[in-house]
Amino acid sequence: FVNIDSTTIDGMKRAKRLEFPSKGTKLAQVVFTGFMPHATHLLFNNINKASLFALFRHPVDRAISLFYYLKDANWEPTYHPEWASMSLLDFLRQGDNVEHDWMVRNLVGVYDRKLNQTDLELAKDILRTKVWVGLISEMEESLMRFGGIYGWSERKEWPRCIRNFAHHGSNKHMHPEVNSRSEEWHILREANYWDLQLYAYAVQLFEMQKQFFQEIESDDDFMKKSDDIDEQELKAKTENDSEFSTKEIRDEDATNS
């Protein structure tokens, strides 16, 4: 097995010192990380490459869930015991605690300045040309697609694995619902202006990519051909609908109440 922690930057730096790019990639089939720019140069290289798949979640839902999870998850290195007695609103009113556009920042590697439209377009381009997109809201469908791409669906236990992961995941954490018209939702929506636009685009890409996954069912040689998928073709199909107004995003938010 491979003993590295790819969920932290320090863990990936250790992996590089252990020569993971040249040795570990021959053993590890899947690497999970939330820090893609760091992973690309710490865990992989021009010889030992990787393909990227990702599960996306509505940014406001994600931020709310993360707060409640880290109030209780004392086994996590990012556990915050001081949050245990705080309400979500008190937490958000402190300001410094609020994540700002986590998805876009981690895709384009920008952490020390305000984001702009150029950053968003780069993040969209990365999704369009580099990422097999999955959605937390479509978990079973997403896992089925990933299984087809990477050959996991050939294993007889795969359907059971999907059901267990989608409905009984070990890190599932129940928390109170937050109304989309509440102050909490408003604060998080404003803090994740660029992420909301990227998420709307990811949802559209999820639908656009459906045709490629359908080919898997009828083509046993799909894995060999998948590297040659015309990225410009997918780009052209999504380019016309790549702009999402603030009003459209807010209308979408309202449906979550």
Side-chain angles (χ1 to χ4, degrees):
F1 63 93
V2 180
N3 183 17
I4 66 165
D5 181 5
S6 58
T7 64
T8 68
I9 296 173
D10 285 342
M12 288 189 285
K13 289 179 178 178
R14 173 179 174 272
K16 185 172 184 178
R17 292 195 298 270
L18 294 173
E19 301 182 50
F20 179 86
S22 60
K23 298 178 180 178
T25 52
K26 295 179 175 61
L27 299 172
Q29 291 184 323
V30 180
V31 174
F32 292 95
T33 186
F35 303 99
M36 193 193 76
H38 299 84
T40 54
H41 71 270
L42 290 173
L43 301 182
F44 306 99
N45 55 36
N46 290 334
I47 298 175
N48 298 290
K49 301 179 181 181
S51 64
L52 179 61
F53 67 97
L55 284 164
F56 291 86
R57 186 175 189 177
H58 190 286
V60 176
D61 287 334
R62 176 193 171 276
I64 293 169
S65 178
L66 182 64
F67 165 73
Y68 283 107
Y69 176 69
L70 292 180
K71 287 180 66 168
D72 301 327
N74 56 13
W75 56 89
E76 294 281 6
T78 49
Y79 168 62
H80 288 273
E82 67 274 18
W83 295 357
S85 60
M86 297 177 66
S87 70
L88 176 60
L89 186 56
D90 288 339
F91 168 79
L92 295 175
R93 282 175 173 171
Q94 290 190 4
D96 293 341
N97 291 325
V98 182
E99 284 187 344
H100 292 265
D101 300 303
W102 184 89
M103 289 194 299
V104 174
R105 291 187 181 281
N106 278 282
L107 279 172
V108 303
V110 173
Y111 305 101
D112 56 356
R113 64 167 172 78
K114 292 184 177 181
L115 297 174
N116 54 44
Q117 188 67 35
T118 300
D119 297 318
L120 176 62
E121 294 307 320
L122 176 57
K124 286 181 179 180
D125 194 57
I126 291 171
L127 291 195
R128 182 170 54 239
T129 61
K130 304 294 184 184
V131 182
W132 295 114
V133 174
L135 302 174
I136 294 292
S137 60
E138 301 287 347
M139 181 66 83
E140 290 197 34
E141 171 66 19
S142 299
L143 294 177
M144 288 294 292
R145 293 184 182 188
F146 299 154
I149 283 289
Y150 297 107
W152 306 327
S153 59
E154 297 175 5
R155 302 177 181 180
K156 63 180 180 180
E157 66 271 20
W158 182 240
R160 178 174 55 83
C161 289
I162 288 180
R163 289 193 299 271
N164 288 342
F165 186 82
H167 301 292
H168 309 289
S170 60
N171 271 0
K172 275 186 173 292
H173 189 268
M174 302 301 294
H175 61 78
E177 293 289 329
V178 177
N179 192 291
S180 64
R181 295 179 178 85
S182 66
E183 183 177 351
E184 293 94 330
W185 191 279
H186 175 76
I187 292 172
L188 287 169
R189 184 181 63 200
E190 294 300 310
N192 291 279
Y193 172 78
W194 300 107
D195 266 11
L196 283 165
Q197 296 183 71
L198 185 66
Y199 177 75
Y201 188 63
V203 171
Q204 193 166 54
L205 279 178
F206 182 78
E207 292 302 317
M208 290 290 184
Q209 290 181 354
K210 183 181 296 185
Q211 61 179 304
F212 295 110
F213 289 94
Q214 289 172 341
E215 290 184 34
I216 299 172
E217 298 177 359
S218 58
D219 191 345
D220 293 335
D221 200 33
F222 185 85
M223 279 299 294
K224 295 179 181 178
K225 294 168 59 179
S226 62
D227 289 337
D228 299 322
I229 287 176
D230 187 347
E231 294 175 350
Q232 291 303 316
E233 179 184 351
L234 180 56
K235 181 176 180 178
K237 289 177 179 177
T238 57
E239 202 113 76
N240 292 335
D241 299 309
S242 63
E243 299 301 327
F244 298 90
S245 70
T246 301
K247 179 179 183 300
E248 288 172 325
I249 295 167
R250 290 180 176 175
D251 288 345
E252 178 187 335
D253 287 343
T255 65
N256 294 320
S257 59

